[in-house]
Amino acid sequence: MFNFAKNISGGVHPIDDGKSLTRNQPIERLNELPPRLYLQLKQHPGAKAIAVVSEGDAVSAGQLIACANGRFCAPIHAPLNGRVVSVDEQQIEIKPDMVQTPPPPQPIKETPTNDPALMLELIKNAGIVGMGGAMFPLYDKLELCDKYDIDSLLINGSECEPYMTCDDRVMREQSAQIVGGIRLLMQITKAKQAIIGIEKNKPEAIDAMISATNEDDNIHVHPLPALYPLGSSKQLIRALTGIQLAEGRRSASYGVLVHNVASCIAVFEAIRFGRPMTHRVVTVSGRAISEPRNILAPIGTPISHLISQCGGLVQTPTQQIMGGPMMGRMITNVHQPIVKGTCGILMLDETESDISVPSSCLRCGRCAQVCPMQLQPLHLLPLVQHEQFDEAKTHGLSQCLSCGACAYVCPASLPLTASFNWGKFELKKQRYMTTKSETTRQRAAEHQQRLAAEAEAKKAAKAAKAAKRKSRRNSPTQEETV
């Protein structure tokens, strides 16, 4: 249907992508429950959720413990039965019960196919966010179908980040639930078709999804080249549809919405069974891990507990990363919890880590060759380093995906991605200060207008009183009239 070769530009494919460590490891549940769960109140781009439980409260699995607080915010639910240990501004700490009594089986609900608003409400109340990493509330994304006509749903099963295999295993083991979620999303958005993009290095996942979609003429599976960062929504849209998003425009304005395969399962669970989002599959990998695995873990589980469930460490890791090695962030505390968007925990040894000392740019141009946005990183870097942010913006800094492809291929080990992230942060800060300054100016002008209006009103009232007094003085008295 689509000519992929013409639509894809740039990108890299690591020789050793690390996926072999967990590719054949089925999804497992924890052998031991974590002694504590730490549910962060901010697991989304919006404001922190508002806790609705207090210290000492008993909670049951699936119970609402923090409600949404405005746009781009998602509610949070207890993953396990237990008792609230503490509640502060950042998180809710829960001590799980030693013995977990499973909830009674819930009957399969009749899907309200004739009521998209009800399905949207169920998704909203379930606290589902994008599980690819951005953690954007799914409800807010789906609301765009009220404003735009959605033609296609693109389902992201590419999982292009090295080491990550959680989506691969989900597609192999839960393909029916994924397709069930896709059907529900198509009913909500009224999309005419859904396209599932999966990289060719996941043949078992491709076969499983093709088998699961045999009865659906409007759901298609399309193998993609194994190329990073094809999992980025912009790149996936271009690869599957040929559409290249203009800067600042949403994909919905082109009639396209992108969802992760794990998010589709969460939608299926929420609408068919009324289950909120409380668990997720996490790839725990790296050669410093004794037994790399894919684990279905409760949200709020400390990283250290996941490591212990994988046999612990065989050596001290040189790098500790939450997420993938390209776009993940460094872990500074292994006791911090996983959140809804955590797809992986990596403990890398010295053979997997790039700790080279940066040198001068060789002007080789490799960074430009692999940039998926067709930028010129070698020209952008000196502009950012000299804090010429406006000039860097004109050269496309705002379009940078922060994918790390340029830094990966740089023979000089230049901190390209880190520099561009800093530059984008400075641009964002400038926009904030400009907006703040404009808001302050506008408020000051409005204040002056109010003062002027009040002064005019007082002047008019004073003049009216004076006119009334003068009128009384000039009016003839009763005696004069007689």
Side-chain angles (χ1 to χ4, degrees):
M1 183 179 295
F2 301 105
N3 189 335
F4 303 115
K6 290 184 179 180
N7 293 335
I8 299 173
S9 61
V12 297
H13 181 66
I15 297 174
D16 180 10
D17 60 10
K19 292 181 183 289
S20 60
L21 294 172
T22 55
R23 160 182 293 129
N24 295 317
Q25 295 296 323
I27 299 170
E28 302 178 33
R29 289 184 174 270
L30 294 174
N31 296 324
E32 299 178 7
L33 294 178
R36 292 287 192 277
L37 294 175
Y38 302 92
L39 284 303
Q40 295 186 359
L41 295 176
K42 185 172 172 59
Q43 300 190 41
H44 39 258
K48 296 175 186 174
I50 300 173
V52 294
V53 293
S54 303
E55 181 179 335
D57 287 353
V59 295
S60 56
Q63 177 182 330
L64 179 71
I65 59 174
C67 63
N69 181 21
R71 279 195 80 192
F72 310 132
C73 180
I76 300 168
H77 303 78
L80 301 169
N81 301 330
R83 190 167 295 277
V84 177
V85 175
S86 65
V87 178
D88 60 32
E89 294 182 355
Q90 304 300 324
Q91 64 186 14
I92 299 172
E93 181 182 350
I94 295 176
K95 180 181 179 181
D97 294 340
M98 294 296 293
V99 178
Q100 292 287 317
T101 304
Q106 297 291 320
I108 296 178
K109 295 186 176 182
E110 175 121 7
T111 306
T113 55
N114 59 342
D115 194 348
L118 176 57
M119 289 194 282
L120 268 175
E121 195 65 20
L122 291 170
I123 290 172
K124 181 179 183 179
N125 293 338
I128 302 172
V129 303
M131 297 175 75
M135 296 196 293
F136 193 87
L138 199 64
Y139 171 82
D140 290 281
K141 181 185 287 189
L142 291 172
E143 269 196 321
L144 294 173
C145 65
D146 292 334
K147 184 177 180 181
Y148 302 104
D149 292 328
I150 304 302
D151 177 77
S152 302
L153 293 183
L154 304 187
I155 309 304
N156 192 348
S158 60
E159 196 170 47
C160 61
E161 272 268 18
Y163 290 88
M164 298 296 101
T165 61
C166 52
D167 285 351
D168 184 5
R169 294 307 313 186
V170 161
M171 287 186 285
R172 293 202 225 177
E173 300 178 36
Q174 302 181 48
S175 56
Q177 292 93 318
I178 293 173
V179 174
I182 293 172
R183 291 171 183 153
L184 295 170
L185 288 169
M186 292 180 73
Q187 292 166 11
I188 292 171
T189 61
K190 297 180 174 60
K192 299 179 181 64
Q193 66 172 343
I195 307 170
I196 307 170
I198 309 174
E199 288 191 347
K200 293 179 181 178
N201 61 357
K202 304 172 184 63
E204 299 88 352
I206 292 173
D207 291 342
M209 295 307 301
I210 289 176
S211 177
T213 57
N214 275 338
E215 298 179 0
D216 297 88
D217 294 334
N218 53 357
I219 302 178
H220 317 284
V221 177
H222 286 283
L224 296 167
L227 192 67
Y228 177 86
L230 205 51
S232 164
S233 59
K234 288 185 177 180
Q235 302 310 111
L236 190 70
I237 290 170
R238 189 175 182 188
L240 291 179
T241 69
I243 296 172
Q244 186 167 1
L245 300 188
E247 185 178 359
R249 282 192 63 179
R250 293 173 169 171
S251 66
S253 66
Y254 292 89
V256 174
L257 284 180
V258 180
H259 300 289
N260 177 265
V261 288
S263 302
C264 294
I265 294 178
V267 168
F268 180 79
E269 296 281 324
I271 295 178
R272 296 299 299 275
F273 300 103
R275 294 171 185 160
M277 184 178 177
T278 59
H279 291 64
R280 73 151 299 138
V281 181
V282 181
T283 296
V284 184
S285 191
R287 292 185 173 86
I289 292 283
S290 178
E291 302 169 7
R293 295 177 179 172
N294 290 298
I295 297 178
L296 179 64
I299 305 299
T301 299
I303 293 171
S304 56
H305 187 76
L306 292 179
I307 294 173
S308 70
Q309 293 295 290
C310 294
L313 299 172
V314 294
Q315 59 180 290
T316 302
T318 55
Q319 278 188 311
Q320 303 176 135
I321 303 172
M322 178 179 283
M326 303 295 279
M327 296 188 72
R329 60 182 179 84
M330 294 298 172
I331 296 171
T332 56
N333 177 10
V334 293
H335 300 296
Q336 72 184 82
I338 64 168
V339 293
K340 294 179 180 181
T342 304
C343 59
I345 300 295
L346 300 183
M347 297 287 133
L348 307 181
D349 67 13
E350 66 279 356
T351 66
E352 304 170 290
S353 305
D354 183 9
I355 51 177
S356 304
V357 177
S359 61
S360 299
C361 178
L362 304 178
R363 315 295 291 181
C364 64
R366 294 182 189 176
C367 56
Q369 293 172 7
V370 302
C371 178
M373 299 305 293
Q374 299 178 315
L375 304 179
Q376 298 290 325
L378 69 166
H379 297 315
L380 279 174
L381 182 62
L383 293 175
V384 172
Q385 289 176 331
H386 291 89
E387 300 186 15
Q388 298 174 4
F389 302 118
D390 290 335
E391 183 69 14
K393 184 179 179 180
T394 63
H395 283 77
L397 178 60
S398 299
Q399 300 176 46
C400 171
L401 300 177
S402 300
C403 67
C406 56
Y408 178 80
V409 301
C410 180
S413 299
L414 293 172
L416 295 167
T417 309
S419 298
F420 300 152
N421 285 341
W422 174 65
K424 289 191 291 183
F425 173 78
E426 290 297 319
L427 282 175
K428 184 178 180 180
K429 189 164 68 173
Q430 284 182 3
R431 289 195 300 270
Y432 171 77
M433 295 305 296
T434 300
T435 302
K436 184 178 179 181
S437 176
E438 178 61 25
T439 301
T440 302
R441 186 199 65 76
Q442 186 175 350
R443 287 177 177 175
E446 290 172 353
H447 179 65
Q448 291 299 321
Q449 289 175 359
R450 286 197 300 270
L451 291 178
E454 290 172 1
E456 286 294 326
K458 289 180 180 178
K459 184 177 179 181
K462 186 176 180 180
K465 287 182 179 180
K468 190 174 182 180
R469 287 195 298 268
K470 184 177 180 181
S471 175
R472 287 177 178 174
R473 286 197 300 268
N474 294 337
S475 298
T477 63
Q478 187 174 4
E479 293 179 357
E480 291 174 340
T481 304
V482 173

